[in-house]
Amino acid sequence: MKKLIFLFVVLFSMNVFSQNEENSIVVKDIETQLPIENAIVYIMKTKQTLLSNKDGKVIFALNGASSIQVSETNYEKVTIRWDALKPDLFVIYLKNNNNKLDEIVVSKEKPEKNLQKIISNSRERLASSYRLKVYVREFFMLDNKYSYYNDGLVNFQFEENQNKSTTTLLVEQNRSYGLLEDEVSHDLMGYNLNNIMENYSNLKYFDPLLDSKTRKEYEFTTTGHPNNKNYYIMSVTPLDKSKKAFDTFEIIYDPLKKLIVEFSIIIKQAELVEIEDQTKVGSKNITRSQIKVTYRIDGEDYYLLSSNEEIAYDLILKDKVKNIQVRNNFITTHFDRQNFTYSDSDVFKEKTLFNKKNKVMTKYWDISGFTATDEEKKLIDGLEFKM
């Protein structure tokens, strides 16, 4: 009976999707006419969240009409009725806030103390029970050639545990393919999906800034956001004399709600030069590292919206050096306070999706929230013959 119900849901979903019409929207700066990347496009009818690519474009399926809400940290949020869009060219223009508020914020409290409160409050708000439907994807490159790809539509069930989040992962659909004739899976470093989601929710990345010893290696500066009067930016940079700290942090937050809206962490190229290369076989020398994570504040709801992690490193072997690059993306397509009912056998207990047998029932990537760039689309379209 459970199998019959599940089959009905799948067939119903496929039928509904087949009736939907594919639409595309381009988000642009009204003054420069340039595309806006990483704009959040929210389809109010279906409650679907999309993220614009570097061409400012999103693609989605919709039956009928819906109001569209578009926002980006540096721009004024707009809500547009469907009939206000031109059918032949769906373009939404955003106006830059352009407040020029990037002066130093003066406060009686030291920035590092303020950051502790912001992190603590954000952790507490994220540590609650809810579920996220998330589209995840990973690109792997070996010696500058795309070598492996996987993506999937998964559900994370969050449970609060002593002001920390723990997650249970259920995989709806997934696909995983090698892109080279040679077997390269032993060279790959996949992400542990549960660990990475828990790190986003528990804000594990900020532990060095909370530790009384390691935070002395950094300088903290707070400024007003240059394009959004509602946000502040805290920049945390390694001191010139530091030999241990290399990560540079930028944290955008709401000073009234004391919630993190976005953060990014990078190791700058100049700092990578200062890191002494290891020569031992099996060593990994980082050549690039960057993380960008955004959160959505929607009334009382506060949760991960999207993430992008990139890391590149040289792997030292006996007779050669391999360069490995990994790019990982998360985007939340739906948020729900209602918990799942599931059995233990439904839980995905492996680390990464390339450890799971392919399971494709619908073209879930078409409603993923991500719109592939031309390069990515060409690569991913090449997977069709393998399906």
Side-chain angles (χ1 to χ4, degrees), residues 193-253:
L193 295 177
N194 270 316
N195 282 358
I196 195 171
M197 180 58 86
E198 289 172 6
N199 287 342
Y200 291 150
S201 299
N202 299 325
L203 301 174
K204 187 74 174 176
Y205 298 92
F206 295 109
D207 284 356
L209 306 183
L210 301 178
D211 185 272
S212 58
K213 293 181 180 179
T214 55
R215 72 169 176 242
K216 293 179 181 178
E217 304 286 333
Y218 292 93
E219 180 180 16
F220 297 74
T221 306
T222 305
T223 61
H225 195 289
N227 295 313
N228 195 318
K229 63 183 180 181
N230 297 315
Y231 297 147
Y232 286 171
I233 300 176
M234 186 174 295
S235 301
V236 186
T237 56
L239 295 170
D240 292 338
K241 63 182 180 179
S242 176
K243 298 298 181 183
K244 299 178 181 178
F246 296 101
D247 290 330
T248 295
F249 298 76
E250 183 178 89
I251 304 136
I252 300 175
Y253 67 96

Coordinates of all heavy atoms in Angstrom, one line a residue, residues 193-253:
L193 N 27.0 15.6 3.9 CA 25.9 16.5 3.8 C 25.3 16.9 5.1 O 24.9 18.1 5.3 CB 24.8 15.9 2.9 CG 25.2 15.7 1.4 CD1 24.1 15.0 0.6 CD2 25.5 17.0 0.8
N194 N 25.2 15.9 6.0 CA 24.6 16.2 7.3 C 25.6 17.2 8.1 O 25.1 18.2 8.7 CB 24.4 15.0 8.2 CG 23.0 14.4 8.0 OD1 22.0 15.1 8.0 ND2 23.0 13.1 7.8
N195 N 26.9 16.9 8.0 CA 27.8 17.7 8.7 C 27.8 19.2 8.2 O 27.8 20.1 9.0 CB 29.2 17.2 8.6 CG 29.5 16.0 9.6 OD1 28.6 15.6 10.3 ND2 30.6 15.4 9.5
I196 N 27.8 19.3 6.9 CA 27.8 20.7 6.4 C 26.6 21.5 6.7 O 26.6 22.6 7.1 CB 28.1 20.6 4.9 CG1 28.6 22.0 4.4 CG2 26.9 20.2 4.1 CD1 29.1 22.0 3.0
M197 N 25.4 20.8 6.7 CA 24.2 21.5 7.0 C 24.1 21.9 8.5 O 23.7 23.0 8.9 CB 23.0 20.7 6.7 CG 21.6 21.3 7.0 SD 21.4 22.9 6.2 CE 20.7 22.4 4.6
E198 N 24.6 21.0 9.3 CA 24.7 21.3 10.8 C 25.7 22.4 11.1 O 25.4 23.2 11.9 CB 25.0 20.0 11.5 CG 23.9 19.0 11.6 CD 24.3 17.6 12.2 OE1 25.5 17.5 12.7 OE2 23.5 16.7 12.1
N199 N 26.8 22.4 10.3 CA 27.7 23.5 10.5 C 27.1 24.9 10.1 O 27.3 25.9 10.7 CB 29.0 23.3 9.6 CG 29.8 22.2 10.2 OD1 29.7 21.8 11.3 ND2 30.7 21.7 9.4
Y200 N 26.3 24.9 9.0 CA 25.6 26.1 8.6 C 24.6 26.6 9.7 O 24.4 27.8 10.0 CB 24.8 25.9 7.3 CG 25.6 25.7 6.1 CD1 25.2 24.9 5.0 CD2 26.9 26.3 6.0 CE1 25.9 24.7 3.9 CE2 27.7 26.1 4.8 CZ 27.2 25.3 3.8 OH 27.9 25.1 2.7
S201 N 23.9 25.6 10.3 CA 22.9 25.9 11.4 C 23.5 26.3 12.7 O 23.0 27.1 13.4 CB 21.9 24.8 11.5 OG 21.3 24.5 10.3
N202 N 24.6 25.6 13.0 CA 25.3 25.8 14.3 C 26.4 26.9 14.2 O 27.0 27.2 15.2 CB 25.9 24.5 14.9 CG 24.8 23.5 15.1 OD1 23.7 23.8 15.5 ND2 25.1 22.2 14.9
L203 N 26.6 27.4 13.0 CA 27.6 28.5 12.7 C 28.9 28.1 13.2 O 29.7 28.9 13.8 CB 27.1 29.8 13.4 CG 25.7 30.3 12.9 CD1 25.3 31.5 13.7 CD2 25.8 30.6 11.4
K204 N 29.3 26.8 12.9 CA 30.6 26.3 13.4 C 31.8 27.0 12.8 O 32.8 27.1 13.5 CB 30.6 24.8 12.9 CG 31.8 24.0 13.4 CD 31.7 23.6 14.8 CE 32.8 22.7 15.3 NZ 32.7 22.4 16.7
Y205 N 31.6 27.7 11.7 CA 32.7 28.4 11.0 C 33.2 29.5 11.9 O 34.3 30.0 11.7 CB 32.2 28.9 9.7 CG 31.8 27.9 8.7 CD1 30.5 27.4 8.6 CD2 32.8 27.2 7.9 CE1 30.1 26.4 7.7 CE2 32.4 26.3 7.0 CZ 31.1 25.9 6.9 OH 30.7 24.9 6.0
F206 N 32.4 30.0 12.8 CA 32.8 31.2 13.6 C 33.5 30.8 14.9 O 33.9 31.7 15.7 CB 31.6 32.0 14.0 CG 31.0 32.7 12.7 CD1 29.8 32.2 12.3 CD2 31.6 33.7 12.0 CE1 29.2 32.8 11.1 CE2 31.1 34.2 10.9 CZ 29.8 33.8 10.5
D207 N 33.7 29.5 15.2 CA 34.3 29.1 16.4 C 35.7 29.8 16.7 O 36.0 30.2 17.8 CB 34.5 27.6 16.5 CG 33.2 26.9 16.8 OD1 32.2 27.6 17.0 OD2 33.1 25.6 16.8
P208 N 36.5 29.9 15.7 CA 37.8 30.6 15.9 C 37.7 32.1 16.4 O 38.5 32.6 17.1 CB 38.5 30.6 14.6 CG 37.9 29.4 13.8 CD 36.5 29.4 14.3
L209 N 36.6 32.7 16.0 CA 36.3 34.1 16.4 C 35.7 34.2 17.8 O 35.7 35.3 18.4 CB 35.4 34.8 15.4 CG 35.9 34.8 14.0 CD1 34.9 35.5 13.1 CD2 37.3 35.3 13.8
L210 N 35.3 33.1 18.3 CA 34.7 33.1 19.7 C 35.7 32.6 20.7 O 35.5 32.9 21.9 CB 33.5 32.1 19.7 CG 32.3 32.5 18.7 CD1 31.2 31.5 18.9 CD2 31.8 33.9 19.0
D211 N 36.7 31.9 20.3 CA 37.8 31.4 21.2 C 38.6 32.6 21.7 O 39.1 33.4 20.8 CB 38.6 30.4 20.5 CG 39.6 29.8 21.4 OD1 40.7 30.3 21.5 OD2 39.3 28.7 22.1
S212 N 38.8 32.7 23.0 CA 39.6 33.9 23.5 C 41.0 34.0 23.0 O 41.6 35.0 23.0 CB 39.5 33.8 25.1 OG 40.1 32.6 25.5
K213 N 41.6 32.8 22.7 CA 43.0 32.8 22.2 C 43.1 33.1 20.7 O 43.8 34.0 20.3 CB 43.6 31.5 22.5 CG 43.8 31.2 24.0 CD 44.5 29.8 24.2 CE 44.7 29.5 25.7 NZ 45.3 28.2 25.9
T214 N 42.3 32.4 19.9 CA 42.5 32.6 18.5 C 41.9 33.9 18.0 O 42.4 34.4 17.0 CB 41.8 31.4 17.7 OG1 40.4 31.3 18.1 CG2 42.5 30.1 18.0
R215 N 40.9 34.5 18.6 CA 40.4 35.7 18.1 C 41.3 36.9 18.3 O 41.2 38.0 17.7 CB 39.0 36.0 18.8 CG 39.1 36.5 20.3 CD 37.7 37.0 20.7 NE 37.7 37.3 22.1 CZ 36.9 36.7 23.0 NH1 36.0 35.8 22.6 NH2 36.9 37.1 24.2
K216 N 42.4 36.7 19.1 CA 43.4 37.8 19.2 C 44.2 37.9 18.0 O 45.0 38.9 17.8 CB 44.3 37.4 20.4 CG 43.6 37.5 21.8 CD 44.6 37.2 22.9 CE 43.9 37.2 24.3 NZ 44.8 36.8 25.4
E217 N 44.1 36.9 17.1 CA 44.9 36.9 15.8 C 44.1 37.8 14.7 O 44.7 37.9 13.6 CB 45.1 35.5 15.3 CG 45.7 34.5 16.2 CD 47.2 34.8 16.4 OE1 47.8 35.3 15.4 OE2 47.8 34.5 17.4
Y218 N 43.0 38.3 15.1 CA 42.1 39.0 14.1 C 41.9 40.5 14.5 O 41.9 40.8 15.7 CB 40.8 38.3 13.9 CG 40.9 37.0 13.3 CD1 41.0 35.8 14.1 CD2 40.8 36.8 11.9 CE1 41.1 34.5 13.5 CE2 40.9 35.6 11.3 CZ 41.0 34.4 12.1 OH 41.1 33.2 11.5
E219 N 41.5 41.3 13.5 CA 41.1 42.6 13.7 C 39.6 42.7 13.3 O 39.2 42.2 12.2 CB 41.9 43.6 12.9 CG 41.5 45.0 13.0 CD 42.3 46.0 12.2 OE1 43.0 45.5 11.3 OE2 42.3 47.2 12.4
F220 N 38.8 43.4 14.1 CA 37.4 43.5 13.9 C 37.0 44.9 13.6 O 37.3 45.8 14.3 CB 36.6 43.0 15.1 CG 36.8 41.6 15.5 CD1 38.0 41.1 16.1 CD2 35.8 40.6 15.3 CE1 38.2 39.8 16.5 CE2 36.0 39.3 15.7 CZ 37.2 38.9 16.2
T221 N 36.2 45.1 12.5 CA 35.7 46.4 12.1 C 34.3 46.3 11.7 O 33.9 45.4 10.9 CB 36.6 47.0 10.9 OG1 37.9 46.9 11.2 CG2 36.2 48.4 10.6
T222 N 33.5 47.3 12.1 CA 32.0 47.3 11.8 C 31.7 48.6 11.0 O 32.1 49.7 11.4 CB 31.1 47.2 13.0 OG1 31.5 46.0 13.8 CG2 29.7 47.1 12.6
T223 N 31.1 48.4 9.9 CA 30.6 49.6 9.1 C 29.2 49.4 8.7 O 28.6 48.3 8.8 CB 31.5 49.7 7.8 OG1 31.2 48.5 7.0 CG2 32.9 49.8 8.0
G224 N 28.6 50.6 8.3 CA 27.2 50.5 7.8 C 27.3 49.9 6.4 O 28.3 50.0 5.7
H225 N 26.2 49.2 6.0 CA 26.2 48.6 4.7 C 26.1 49.7 3.7 O 25.2 50.6 3.8 CB 25.0 47.6 4.6 CG 25.1 46.7 3.4 ND1 24.9 47.2 2.1 CD2 25.3 45.4 3.3 CE1 25.0 46.2 1.3 NE2 25.3 45.1 1.9
P226 N 26.9 49.7 2.6 CA 26.9 50.8 1.7 C 25.6 51.0 0.9 O 25.3 52.0 0.4 CB 28.1 50.5 0.7 CG 28.3 49.1 0.9 CD 27.9 48.7 2.3
N227 N 24.8 49.9 0.8 CA 23.6 49.9 0.0 C 22.3 49.5 0.7 O 21.3 49.4 0.0 CB 23.8 49.0 -1.3 CG 24.9 49.5 -2.2 OD1 25.0 50.7 -2.5 ND2 25.8 48.6 -2.6
N228 N 22.4 49.3 2.0 CA 21.2 48.9 2.7 C 21.3 49.4 4.1 O 22.1 48.9 5.0 CB 21.1 47.3 2.7 CG 19.7 46.8 3.1 OD1 19.1 47.4 4.0 ND2 19.2 45.8 2.4
K229 N 20.4 50.4 4.4 CA 20.5 51.0 5.7 C 20.1 50.1 6.9 O 20.3 50.4 8.0 CB 19.6 52.3 5.7 CG 18.1 51.9 5.5 CD 17.3 53.2 5.4 CE 15.8 52.9 5.1 NZ 14.9 54.1 5.0
N230 N 19.5 48.9 6.6 CA 19.0 48.0 7.6 C 20.1 47.1 8.1 O 19.9 46.3 9.0 CB 17.8 47.2 7.1 CG 16.6 48.1 6.8 OD1 16.3 49.0 7.5 ND2 16.0 47.9 5.6
Y231 N 21.2 47.1 7.4 CA 22.2 46.1 7.7 C 23.6 46.7 8.0 O 23.9 47.8 7.6 CB 22.5 45.1 6.5 CG 21.3 44.3 6.2 CD1 21.0 43.9 4.9 CD2 20.4 43.8 7.1 CE1 19.9 43.1 4.5 CE2 19.3 43.1 6.8 CZ 19.0 42.7 5.5 OH 18.0 42.0 5.2
Y232 N 24.4 46.0 8.8 CA 25.8 46.4 9.1 C 26.6 45.3 8.5 O 26.2 44.1 8.3 CB 26.0 46.5 10.6 CG 25.5 47.7 11.3 CD1 25.5 47.8 12.7 CD2 24.9 48.8 10.5 CE1 25.0 49.0 13.3 CE2 24.4 49.9 11.2 CZ 24.5 50.0 12.5 OH 24.0 51.1 13.2
I233 N 27.9 45.6 8.3 CA 28.9 44.7 7.8 C 30.0 44.6 8.8 O 30.6 45.6 9.2 CB 29.5 45.0 6.5 CG1 28.4 45.1 5.4 CG2 30.5 44.0 6.0 CD1 28.9 45.5 4.0
M234 N 30.4 43.4 9.3 CA 31.5 43.2 10.2 C 32.6 42.5 9.4 O 32.4 41.4 8.9 CB 31.2 42.4 11.4 CG 32.4 42.4 12.4 SD 32.0 41.6 14.0 CE 30.8 42.7 14.7
S235 N 33.7 43.2 9.3 CA 34.9 42.6 8.6 C 35.9 42.1 9.6 O 36.2 42.8 10.6 CB 35.6 43.6 7.7 OG 34.6 44.1 6.7
V236 N 36.3 40.9 9.5 CA 37.3 40.3 10.4 C 38.5 39.8 9.6 O 38.3 38.9 8.8 CB 36.6 39.1 11.2 CG1 37.6 38.6 12.3 CG2 35.3 39.5 11.8
T237 N 39.6 40.4 9.8 CA 40.8 40.1 9.0 C 41.9 39.7 9.9 O 42.1 40.2 11.0 CB 41.2 41.4 8.2 OG1 41.4 42.5 9.0 CG2 40.1 41.7 7.2
P238 N 42.8 38.9 9.4 CA 44.0 38.4 10.1 C 44.9 39.6 10.4 O 45.1 40.5 9.5 CB 44.7 37.4 9.3 CG 43.6 36.9 8.3 CD 42.7 38.1 8.1
L239 N 45.5 39.7 11.5 CA 46.5 40.8 11.8 C 47.7 40.5 11.0 O 48.1 39.4 10.7 CB 46.8 40.8 13.3 CG 45.7 41.1 14.3 CD1 46.1 40.9 15.7 CD2 45.3 42.6 14.1
D240 N 48.4 41.6 10.6 CA 49.6 41.5 9.8 C 50.6 40.6 10.5 O 51.4 39.9 9.8 CB 50.2 42.9 9.6 CG 49.3 43.7 8.7 OD1 48.5 43.1 7.9 OD2 49.4 45.0 8.7
K241 N 50.7 40.7 11.8 CA 51.7 39.9 12.5 C 51.3 38.4 12.8 O 52.1 37.6 13.2 CB 52.0 40.6 13.9 CG 50.8 40.6 14.8 CD 51.1 41.3 16.1 CE 49.9 41.4 17.0 NZ 50.2 42.0 18.3
S242 N 50.1 38.1 12.4 CA 49.6 36.8 12.7 C 50.2 35.7 11.8 O 50.3 35.9 10.6 CB 48.1 36.7 12.5 OG 47.6 35.4 12.7
K243 N 50.6 34.6 12.4 CA 51.2 33.5 11.6 C 50.2 32.3 11.6 O 50.5 31.3 11.0 CB 52.5 33.1 12.2 CG 53.6 34.2 12.1 CD 53.9 34.6 10.7 CE 55.0 35.7 10.7 NZ 55.3 36.1 9.3
K244 N 49.1 32.4 12.3 CA 48.1 31.3 12.4 C 46.8 31.6 11.7 O 46.2 30.6 11.2 CB 47.9 31.1 13.9 CG 49.1 30.7 14.7 CD 48.7 30.5 16.2 CE 50.0 30.1 17.0 NZ 49.6 30.0 18.4
A245 N 46.4 32.8 11.7 CA 45.1 33.2 11.1 C 45.2 33.5 9.6 O 46.1 34.3 9.2 CB 44.5 34.3 11.8
F246 N 44.4 32.9 8.8 CA 44.4 33.1 7.3 C 43.1 33.5 6.8 O 43.0 34.2 5.8 CB 45.0 31.9 6.6 CG 46.5 31.6 7.0 CD1 46.8 30.6 7.9 CD2 47.5 32.4 6.4 CE1 48.1 30.3 8.2 CE2 48.8 32.1 6.7 CZ 49.1 31.1 7.6
D247 N 42.0 33.0 7.4 CA 40.7 33.2 6.9 C 40.3 34.7 7.1 O 40.5 35.3 8.1 CB 39.6 32.4 7.6 CG 39.8 30.9 7.2 OD1 40.2 30.6 6.1 OD2 39.5 30.0 8.1
T248 N 39.6 35.3 6.1 CA 39.1 36.6 6.1 C 37.5 36.5 6.1 O 37.0 35.9 5.2 CB 39.5 37.5 5.0 OG1 40.9 37.7 5.1 CG2 38.8 38.8 5.0
F249 N 36.9 37.1 7.1 CA 35.4 37.0 7.3 C 34.7 38.3 6.9 O 35.2 39.3 7.2 CB 35.0 36.6 8.7 CG 35.6 35.3 9.3 CD1 36.9 35.2 9.6 CD2 34.7 34.2 9.4 CE1 37.4 34.0 10.1 CE2 35.2 33.0 9.9 CZ 36.5 32.9 10.3
E250 N 33.6 38.2 6.3 CA 32.7 39.3 6.1 C 31.3 38.8 6.5 O 30.8 37.9 6.0 CB 32.7 39.8 4.7 CG 31.8 41.1 4.5 CD 31.8 41.6 3.1 OE1 30.9 41.2 2.3 OE2 32.7 42.5 2.8
I251 N 30.7 39.5 7.5 CA 29.4 39.1 8.1 C 28.5 40.3 7.9 O 28.7 41.4 8.4 CB 29.6 38.8 9.6 CG1 30.6 37.7 9.8 CG2 28.3 38.3 10.2 CD1 31.6 37.9 10.9
I252 N 27.4 40.0 7.2 CA 26.3 41.0 7.0 C 25.2 40.6 8.0 O 24.8 39.5 8.0 CB 25.8 41.0 5.6 CG1 26.9 41.4 4.6 CG2 24.6 42.0 5.5 CD1 26.5 41.3 3.1
Y253 N 24.8 41.6 8.8 CA 23.8 41.2 9.8 C 22.8 42.4 10.1 O 23.0 43.5 9.7 CB 24.5 40.8 11.2 CG 25.2 42.0 11.9 CD1 24.6 42.7 12.9 CD2 26.5 42.3 11.5 CE1 25.3 43.7 13.5 CE2 27.2 43.3 12.1 CZ 26.6 44.0 13.2 OH 27.2 45.1 13.8

